[in-house]
Amino acid sequence: MQLSASSRHRGALALLSMPAVLFTAMMVVFPILYTIWLSFRTAPLGHATQFVGLANYSQLAHAPQFWNSIKVSLTLYVISLALQLTGGTYLAVLLFQAKRMPAILRSVLISPFMVPPVVVGMMFLVILDPSLGAANWVLSLFGIGPSAWLASPEWVIPTVALIDTWQWMPFVALIVLGGLQSLPPSVYEAAKIDGAPSRLVFWRITLPLLLPTLATAAILRTVDLLRFFDIIYVTTQGGPLNASDTLNIYGFHIGFELFQFGYASALAMTLTAMVFGVVLALNRLRKAVDW
Amino acid sequence: MSDRTLSQPRREQLMRVLVIAQLVILAIGILFPIAWMVTSSFKSSADVTAYPPTLLFRPTLDNYTRLLQTTPFFSYARNSLIESGSSTLIGLLLGVPAAYAASITRASWPALVTLSARMAPGTLFLIPWYIVFRDLGMVGTYGALILTQAAITLPIVIWVLLPAFDAIPRSILEAAGVDGCGILRSLWRVALPLVSSGLVIATILAFVFSWNYFLFALVLSDENTKPLVVAAFNYIGEGSTDWGGLMAAATLIALPPLVLAIAVQRWLVAGLTLGAVKG
Amino acid sequence: MASLRMQGLKKRFGTMEIIPSLDLEIADHEFVVFVGPSGCGKSTLLRIIAGLEPITEGDLFIGDQRVNDLTPAQRDIAMVFQDYALYPHMTVYQNMAFGLQMRHTPQAEIDARVQNAARLLDIEPLLKRRPRALSGGQRQRVAMGRAIVRDPKVFLFDEPLSNLDAQLRGQVRSEIKALSQRLKTTMIFVTHDQVEAMTMADRIVVLRGGVIQQVGAPEEIYGRPANRFVAGFIGSPSMNFLPVNLADGAAHLPDSRTLNIGTALRGTAVLGIRPEHFIPAPEGTGMPVDVTLVEPLGSDTLVHFLVGDIKCIARVAPDTRPHVGERLPLSVAPGKAYLFDPETGARLA
Ligand SMILES: Nc1ncnc2c1ncn2[C@@H]1O[C@H](COP(=O)(O)OP(=O)(O)OP(=O)(O)O)[C@@H](O)[C@H]1O
Ligand SMILES: [Mg+2]
């Protein structure tokens, strides 16, 4: 009796998740398997696919443009993540010290990451225009000379990193603020009584206790940053001179402009493996710094 | 000693002023690009390309009227609405029961799926989808767009609702069971009302991210099913000199997500950072 | 090691006055316990002493030094928090060493002091663990250890036992008492548990609404309560209070019974009798009461009865086992009847 009731219970639960399972199998699992399969084949348009072994992967390894994309993606990743974590922590500490968060301030903070990336690209195209943009005008107010921003091969990646930081630093700040608020206040009082000056309290108590939260924020940003696509596609399409040709931009180019699906699949798999590797490492780190 | 007594509260006051000043500066910096976009959309074509930029100008609706007259803006907006709305609905219909079941059975697959959907680059999914939809003759149909966008919304729904369901004390659900609720009824009558704010957040986030998502529609839509974000991208290519029109389009596209997000800002922050915070 | 003095101490939160004006002296090496009902300002007072809350008005001296404007670090005090407030990311050793490091104590000495304290508290095997891996009682010891290594002028405890189970609480209570005798440091201990207050204190400070009701040794607080509040707060079960009319050395109860207490006072008063000071009287003498409930505790028996509509309790020897409804004659132990002013609550006799 008991057993049949609980097995009926389990059956009902399985039934509840069935639609999602089927959908996932169709839209997520199947494509992943298909891409793996495809990465070992050529798939020329209008012809049957052919098995080519590791040819796609070795082609990747020998393509300078691939290595360029790796460099671009990693540079963008490191700069953006560093800016967003430090900036986000700084902003979060300010918010924490202010104690209250008026609705207007919270609205300002969530606005950037609610704006569609395409729109972000459009608005920064206008603001960062090398000759007529507002950014150069603001710089000139401080006596700084104009920059070509997105049009400069040297500056395009730092500029994209700045744009992404504008969009996501407030998000990181909100996560870190949540972390700050969940720390027990009596620990700070204990540190005061132990005689730690406030700067030391930050470095010795607050920051170590925040590390797991920061690691979480880093993971959330990593998955987006390593796959960077929208804003670059809208603004530079990987240019100038491939200087912003991230892995995902490069992959899109191969797949949907050159229609080399096999080669593009190999690239997508490589990128996925990269993201997976970095996330796993960060997750290790998070566990290691957990208290 | 005695002047320290005086300076102590004053120093605290000074600290507070400094904190607020820094916050104000940062808030202005964050708001500036959005404000620039909105104001530019109301500038005449002479004002919008003036350098140095004109800060005081006579606002005009020209950009908006031109945008609405020369482009099928409303039909793109309808496409966006159909695709985001339907995919959000699918995400909820599939995601809510799945998240509930997973929360009860402590199954880990939904979390894994959410994770892999978040970690894999869009091109990884897009290549097989494109091939399959092409062979089925579905490229450019609403069906293809809604299905692919649902692959965005489903993980969001699960991501937000799984911890919300997890936070319901098991004893409450057991009590519902003892009171004679079956699985479905305890989901509908007990669990869902308890996660109502999570449900609102899941719906809004799913809608917003689907509205904003660009890559899938870029490949899978055609002129008749193109959503706003793709149409706007094409607009950049066509008339990149028409900054006023560009900013008007940008403003209109950004408006729905901003309004939705700000309407639920308080819960939104909690929903977004859920599970990200220890404790 | 230092004495402590509060002069005209006031504390307001916004417009809310929590401590109206407080004067108190605590001697060197003294173990003082603050008791009082919840919300009476015990924690606030302790946090003021620690320097965690600013003083609104008045002065606080530690030794001869006025410390109003000193930071907690400069005051040389140590505090054991109710939730222990251990640093969750540091090991037990690091937790105990942190305060010494902040004072630039040489590493060798830090090590010696931590080892010493760990031995004293019997937590040597735990030194490498993080707080998360400790039981409640172990965390409590570490919190104490963190205070001990500092060798401060004053120890402050804010209800450090309230998160422990009853058995452990009794054990740690005696350990803290023993420790205080060994360390010979001034200690201030906050609790709302009167058993803790009675067993540990050299002197008890009874607070109510931020006002000191009485300061005295435990026996004094128990035996000669200053007013009706103190009398009712200390002792368990609480003292019984009956409105009476005094005449001819006897107290006339509301239901016109009389109780002979031998007093020279006259007029209206509140008669206070502790449950343990009722004694069964020989048949025909004393005050007959109708038993409404009997609670045998083993060591003694609680007898509930009504005087008029006032519920009273008597604590009698365990072999006295009256039945519910039985009529039991009771009298008051000689010299154990307290009389309070019906208006002010001050003790008359
Ligand atoms: N930061 C604060 N702001 C405003 N009021 C406060 C603040 N801290 C305490 N109070 C008030 O001061 C009064 C005394 O609080 P306190 O914490 O000292 O009580 P307590 O005697 O320690 O009580 P308990 O036994 O419950 O711990 C209470 O009425 C409380 O509400
Ligand atoms: Mg308290």
Side-chain angles (χ1 to χ4, degrees):
Chain A
M1 187 66 212
Q2 178 103 34
L3 199 104
S4 83
S6 90
S7 74
R8 235 176 55 202
H9 186 90
R10 216 169 300 147
L13 285 169
L15 216 59
L16 279 185
S17 34
M18 195 53 81
V21 172
L22 288 178
F23 181 86
T24 306
M26 188 174 80
M27 298 299 288
V28 178
V29 178
F30 162 73
I32 292 177
L33 298 177
Y34 193 104
T35 308
I36 296 176
W37 180 76
L38 210 53
S39 74
F40 298 108
R41 306 179 78 84
T42 56
L45 270 183
H47 296 277
T49 62
Q50 270 181 353
F51 181 75
V52 293
L54 290 171
N56 289 323
Y57 289 96
S58 82
Q59 190 187 344
L60 263 188
H62 292 99
Q65 216 180 335
F66 167 72
W67 292 107
N68 172 63
S69 292
I70 294 245
K71 197 189 80 190
V72 169
S73 285
L74 289 182
T75 314
L76 178 61
Y77 170 61
V78 170
I79 299 179
S80 306
L81 193 66
L83 284 177
Q84 289 168 26
L85 289 184
T86 48
T89 306
Y90 162 64
L91 179 52
V93 169
L94 284 180
L95 290 169
F96 187 65
Q97 285 175 345
K99 293 201 174 72
R100 284 180 320 117
M101 171 104 83
I104 173 94
L105 181 57
R106 199 184 294 116
S107 305
V108 169
L109 293 176
I110 58 178
S111 292
F113 55 90
M114 287 293 124
V115 174
V118 170
V119 169
V120 173
M122 290 161 83
M123 89 194 166
F124 277 98
L125 268 182
V126 168
I127 290 172
L128 299 174
D129 188 89
S131 48
L132 302 175
N136 277 340
W137 169 69
V138 171
L139 284 190
S140 74
L141 295 182
F142 295 96
I144 304 172
S147 164
W149 302 110
L150 294 164
S152 145
E154 295 93 64
W155 284 103
V156 62
I157 284 303
T159 304
V160 172
L162 274 180
I163 296 175
D164 194 72
T165 301
W166 169 79
Q167 195 175 14
W168 290 99
M169 184 185 92
F171 173 75
V172 173
L174 289 171
I175 290 181
V176 176
L177 178 65
L180 279 172
Q181 285 166 340
S182 73
L183 300 184
S186 62
V187 165
Y188 291 109
E189 294 181 340
K192 256 194 205 170
I193 286 179
D194 271 340
S198 51
R199 179 159 314 181
L200 258 179
V201 171
F202 179 78
W203 290 108
R204 293 285 305 268
I205 312 283
T206 313
L207 202 58
L209 291 179
L210 271 183
L211 283 179
T213 311
L214 284 171
T216 306
I219 290 173
L220 291 177
R221 290 312 301 137
T222 298
V223 295
D224 286 342
L225 283 167
L226 286 177
R227 308 178 304 176
F228 210 99
F229 181 80
D230 295 14
I231 291 176
I232 291 181
Y233 193 75
V234 171
T235 54
T236 67
Q237 304 235 319
L241 302 171
N242 289 337
S244 61
D245 198 22
T246 61
L247 284 162
N248 219 5
I249 294 275
Y250 181 47
F252 185 82
H253 173 72
I254 301 170
F256 295 97
E257 284 160 14
L258 306 179
F259 293 99
Q260 298 178 357
F261 288 136
Y263 187 37
S265 297
L267 184 72
M269 287 320 302
T270 312
L271 178 49
T272 309
M274 241 174 81
V275 177
F276 205 76
V278 175
V279 167
L280 276 186
L282 282 173
N283 204 38
R284 270 256 173 96
L285 185 72
R286 177 174 63 178
K287 294 218 171 98
V289 297
D290 203 358
W291 30 277
Chain B
M1 208 73 210
S2 64
D3 57 36
R4 275 187 64 169
T5 341
L6 278 176
S7 70
Q8 186 71 20
R10 210 177 285 170
R11 198 182 308 152
E12 245 158 56
Q13 241 174 5
L14 187 73
M15 278 291 294
R16 221 183 138 63
V17 171
L18 281 178
V19 164
I20 289 172
Q22 291 177 74
L23 278 177
V24 169
I25 291 171
L26 281 168
I28 290 174
I30 291 170
L31 216 47
F32 174 79
I34 297 176
W36 198 260
M37 165 182 78
V38 175
T39 52
S40 297
S41 75
F42 292 107
K43 285 180 176 177
S44 69
S45 55
D47 281 333
V48 79
T49 49
Y51 192 88
T54 46
L55 295 180
L56 290 173
F57 59 94
R58 182 184 297 275
T60 162
L61 286 175
D62 283 358
N63 296 317
Y64 288 93
T65 49
R66 186 161 20 88
L67 179 73
L68 299 183
Q69 275 165 8
T70 61
T71 66
F73 189 88
F74 282 118
S75 73
Y76 296 143
R78 200 196 54 204
N79 291 343
S80 273
L81 210 57
I82 290 175
E83 289 151 21
S84 307
S86 308
S87 60
T88 302
L89 198 66
I90 294 180
L92 287 170
L93 285 177
L94 302 185
V96 169
Y100 179 67
S103 169
I104 290 185
T105 57
R106 304 267 175 232
S108 55
W109 71 265
L112 277 176
V113 167
T114 313
L115 224 78
S116 59
R118 279 202 57 121
M119 290 206 291
T123 42
L124 187 147
F125 298 108
L126 200 48
I127 293 167
W129 286 345
Y130 179 78
I131 293 172
V132 169
F133 286 135
R134 188 192 56 193
D135 293 349
L136 295 174
M138 276 177 72
V139 171
T141 61
Y142 284 130
L145 289 164
I146 291 170
L147 276 178
T148 51
Q149 299 281 48
I152 308 281
T153 58
L154 178 63
I156 292 177
V157 170
I158 292 177
W159 160 266
V160 174
L161 283 184
L162 199 53
F165 282 130
D166 280 346
I168 300 177
R170 296 298 102 162
S171 55
I172 291 185
L173 299 177
E174 284 160 7
V178 171
D179 283 342
C181 290
I183 297 282
L184 262 185
R185 191 146 12 134
S186 54
L187 166 61
W188 187 249
R189 296 287 300 275
V190 180
L192 268 189
L194 286 174
V195 298
S196 54
S197 69
L199 201 60
V200 173
I201 295 304
T203 308
I204 284 183
L205 283 180
F207 185 85
V208 167
F209 279 96
S210 163
W211 179 277
N212 291 357
Y213 206 85
F214 172 62
L215 177 61
F216 299 160
L218 179 67
V219 171
L220 294 174
S221 69
D222 66 14
E223 185 52 33
N224 294 321
T225 53
K226 203 187 268 183
L228 279 173
V229 284
V230 175
F233 169 69
N234 294 344
Y235 196 49
I236 304 175
E238 287 161 18
S240 58
T241 45
D242 177 17
W243 281 10
L246 212 58
M247 291 298 93
T251 304
L252 287 180
I253 299 173
L255 204 59
L258 282 180
V259 168
L260 283 176
I262 289 173
V264 293
Q265 39 136 335
R266 197 184 183 80
W267 294 344
L268 185 80
V269 172
L272 270 175
T273 55
L274 214 67
V277 169
K278 190 188 161 71
Chain C
M1 273 154 260
S3 61
L4 214 99
R5 188 156 46 108
M6 286 157 248
Q7 270 177 354
L9 199 78
K10 285 192 175 72
K11 177 68 189 174
R12 276 193 294 271
F13 284 116
T15 56
M16 223 183 14
E17 187 149 85
I18 301 299
I19 298 173
S21 177
L22 189 138
D23 295 281
L24 181 66
E25 278 197 47
I26 294 170
D28 198 3
H29 297 185
E30 198 172 18
F31 196 125
V32 170
V33 175
F34 293 169
V35 280
S38 191
C40 70
K42 309 177 295 279
S43 296
T44 306
L45 190 55
L46 200 72
R47 293 165 56 82
I48 285 175
I49 296 171
L52 294 170
E53 290 284 354
I55 298 173
T56 309
E57 249 178 71
D59 291 315
L60 172 66
F61 294 88
I62 295 180
D64 297 326
Q65 193 185 12
R66 180 175 175 276
V67 296
N68 286 37
D69 307 315
L70 296 191
T71 63
Q74 293 164 328
R75 292 187 188 193
D76 198 13
I77 42 100
M79 183 155 168
V80 178
F81 291 81
Q82 181 171 359
D83 61 357
Y84 313 140
L86 300 177
Y87 307 120
H89 59 303
M90 297 184 193
T91 62
V92 167
Y93 182 96
Q94 289 166 330
N95 262 283
M96 288 165 63
F98 187 72
L100 296 173
Q101 284 167 0
M102 289 301 117
R103 286 172 170 70
H104 307 290
T105 312
Q107 186 56 45
E109 190 181 341
I110 292 180
D111 202 52
R113 286 213 215 170
V114 171
Q115 296 294 350
N116 206 7
R119 198 169 322 118
L120 197 68
L121 292 165
D122 209 13
I123 51 172
E124 283 166 298
L126 309 178
L127 283 176
K128 287 204 172 65
R129 291 209 211 156
R130 297 262 178 95
R132 191 176 52 179
L134 300 179
S135 73
Q138 290 169 333
R139 282 178 213 185
Q140 208 279 337
R141 279 160 202 269
V142 176
M144 300 239 302
R146 187 167 68 177
I148 290 172
V149 292
R150 289 266 320 281
D151 191 17
K153 284 189 195 144
V154 184
F155 271 101
L156 306 174
F157 297 86
D158 192 356
E159 309 210 19
L161 309 183
S162 59
N163 286 338
L164 303 180
D165 65 48
Q167 195 185 354
L168 204 54
R169 202 178 311 167
Q171 183 189 336
V172 179
R173 198 169 67 206
S174 17
E175 281 175 12
I176 293 182
K177 178 77 189 166
L179 200 69
S180 78
Q181 281 158 0
R182 208 140 122 211
L183 295 175
K184 296 199 171 32
T185 309
T186 313
M187 295 201 179
I188 304 178
F189 190 104
V190 162
T191 178
H192 59 247
D193 179 345
Q194 48 153 319
V195 179
E196 281 172 23
M198 294 296 287
T199 50
M200 291 199 286
D202 293 331
R203 274 199 306 161
I204 294 177
V205 177
V206 185
L207 285 164
R208 177 200 196 184
V211 178
I212 294 182
Q213 302 293 309
Q214 188 173 4
V215 182
E219 317 80 68
E220 190 182 341
I221 299 274
Y222 176 83
R224 276 173 283 132
N227 57 35
R228 186 177 158 176
F229 172 79
V230 176
F233 190 75
I234 300 289
S236 174
S238 288
M239 189 182 269
N240 303 293
F241 294 106
L242 299 164
V244 293
N245 218 328
L246 301 174
D248 316 321
H252 300 274
L253 297 171
D255 58 356
S256 77
R257 278 181 285 190
T258 49
L259 203 53
N260 208 330
I261 53 171
T263 176
L265 295 170
R266 308 182 66 83
T268 58
V270 172
L271 170 66
I273 302 166
R274 293 198 185 277
E276 51 272 41
H277 294 153
F278 277 114
I279 39 179
E283 206 59 50
T285 66
M287 172 179 71
V289 301
D290 295 317
V291 176
T292 57
L293 181 69
V294 178
E295 290 180 291
L297 299 179
S299 57
D300 36 35
T301 298
L302 298 184
V303 178
H304 296 241
F305 57 92
L306 285 174
V307 173
D309 51 5
I310 300 169
K311 289 190 180 118
C312 294
I313 301 179
R315 186 200 289 269
V316 297
D319 48 344
T320 323
R321 275 287 176 86
H323 299 289
V324 173
E326 190 180 323
R327 180 155 285 209
L328 188 71
L330 291 174
S331 63
V332 183
K336 297 294 186 188
Y338 299 90
L339 289 168
F340 302 96
D341 187 302
E343 258 94 62
T344 64
R347 187 157 63 85
L348 305 169

